[in-house]
Amino acid sequence: MSVHSAATARQTTQTIIKKKLDGEKISMLTSYDFTLAKLLDEAGVDIILIGDSASNVVCGNSTTLPITLDEMIFLAKGVRRAAEHALVVCDMPFGSYQISEQEAVRNAMKILQLSGADAVKLEGGEEILPAIKHMIQAGVPVMGHLGLTPQSVNQFGGYGLRAKGDAEAEKLVHDAHLLEEAGCFSVVLEKIPAALGKRVSEELHIPVIGIGAGNGTDGQVLVLHDMLGLNEGFKPKFLRRFAELGVQVKAAVAEYVAAVKDGSFPSETEQY
Ligand code: KIV
């Protein structure tokens, strides 16, 4: 069974790069805790991302900006304990890599040392290239992130489609090449036109993973809570819901509440 064989190999940055060479699409999902990460790992996902989207879906913030380095490390530890096969990538949160190259390297190393994650992901192109180069020189595997970069929401003024115009598209292509030349093992492209996602994937040798970047990228990533239907109000065009767990969770909880209230839980067989 393909799920079983997918789950037998331990993924590394090198096996992820090889998938592109072999023409195998790469699957990536976010996870923020041990229990769900274990299910993802057993189901054969290639990469688990402890995304800073945890700020939204775990902590209830309206942006990714408030989550801290220590909070990301706390979440990543649980995911690391669960993942026996998937590559574990942890987002560097806002403020942890923009101040200086030295601080960026120190924080990236802290993530790897304390959480056991295999790699870090950070948002941006040319403007954060010196930090990325220092991290890679220090032995930290780095995944880039271009297009819609949610940590810059206050600069963009929202979460709309990025790189629609020629100038922004050309900058994105330029940045993607810089990230590859700097030694990133992969790049995420978020919410850009499909044709641009395909072009960047064709031009780069490293895997390009898309979210809202069309079908021409080397792999796809989604936020777990969104694709499971747990985040009921969120339904952008690029999102496919592979389950409606929000509906199921509410039905199960309502059934539990009713069973407690009417005294039918616990039954004879559910007590000592
Ligand atoms: O934080 C996150 O979940 C991400 C994905 C959207 C790629 O960066």
Side-chain angles (χ1 to χ4, degrees):
M1 201 173 127
S2 64
V3 164
H4 190 72
S5 62
T8 52
R10 176 145 201 157
Q11 301 298 341
T12 65
T13 54
Q14 297 310 307
T15 62
I16 296 298
I17 291 170
K18 188 168 180 296
K19 286 182 195 297
K20 173 158 182 158
L21 298 174
D22 294 346
E24 180 188 338
K25 292 267 189 179
I26 297 158
S27 60
M28 171 164 152
L29 283 171
T30 66
S31 187
Y32 319 101
D33 73 331
F34 175 86
T35 305
L36 287 171
K38 194 162 188 311
L39 294 175
L40 265 55
D41 196 60
E42 287 172 2
V45 75
D46 296 316
I47 305 175
I48 301 179
L49 171 70
I50 303 98
D52 59 357
S53 51
S55 178
N56 307 94
V57 298
V58 176
C59 308
N61 296 310
S62 59
T63 72
T64 57
L65 275 62
I67 200 156
T68 65
L69 186 68
D70 288 343
E71 287 166 341
M72 290 299 295
I73 290 171
F74 171 79
L75 299 174
K77 281 181 183 174
V79 171
R80 171 73 281 168
R81 289 184 200 112
E84 291 180 15
H85 308 287
L87 187 81
V88 175
V89 180
C90 184
D91 261 342
M92 294 195 70
F94 180 66
S96 68
Y97 57 95
Q98 296 92 340
I99 294 168
S100 73
E101 290 134 40
Q102 285 70 22
E103 203 164 319
V105 176
R106 192 179 307 118
N107 288 333
M109 286 178 159
K110 193 170 170 191
I111 290 177
L112 263 53
Q113 269 182 331
L114 298 185
S115 77
D118 299 306
V120 297
K121 174 168 84 56
L122 53 161
E123 299 179 4
E126 195 162 8
E127 59 287 0
I128 55 153
L129 208 62
I132 289 180
K133 284 185 177 165
H134 276 77
M135 286 180 203
I136 292 169
Q137 272 165 19
V140 176
V142 176
M143 176 181 269
H145 184 154
L146 298 171
L148 174 61
T149 47
Q151 291 177 13
S152 307
V153 63
N154 293 326
Q155 271 177 336
F156 295 153
Y159 295 102
L161 185 69
R162 302 306 310 174
K164 281 179 285 189
D166 287 349
E168 197 184 339
E170 288 311 318
K171 169 156 173 37
L172 187 144
V173 173
H174 177 69
D175 280 345
H177 280 282
L178 290 178
L179 293 179
E180 172 166 272
E181 283 158 26
C184 288
F185 74 94
S186 174
V187 180
V188 165
L189 296 182
E190 181 164 354
K191 215 166 178 189
I192 58 165
L196 184 59
K198 184 167 185 288
R199 175 179 163 198
V200 175
S201 307
E202 284 169 358
E203 289 189 16
L204 295 197
H205 298 99
I206 56 172
V208 174
I209 319 266
I211 172 164
N215 196 22
T217 56
D218 305 305
Q220 298 293 330
V221 55
L222 285 174
V223 170
L224 183 66
H225 292 55
D226 298 342
M227 61 85 79
L228 292 179
L230 285 165
N231 190 0
E232 286 182 300
F234 186 65
K235 221 173 178 314
K237 183 177 179 185
F238 68 79
L239 175 65
R240 185 187 297 181
R241 283 192 182 164
F242 289 81
E244 290 296 344
L245 293 195
V247 175
Q248 282 184 259
V249 168
K250 278 196 277 190
V253 172
E255 204 177 308
Y256 165 77
V257 170
V260 171
K261 301 273 180 201
D262 69 17
S264 62
F265 176 79
S267 68
E268 280 295 314
T269 58
E270 290 163 330
Q271 51 194 325
Y272 300 98

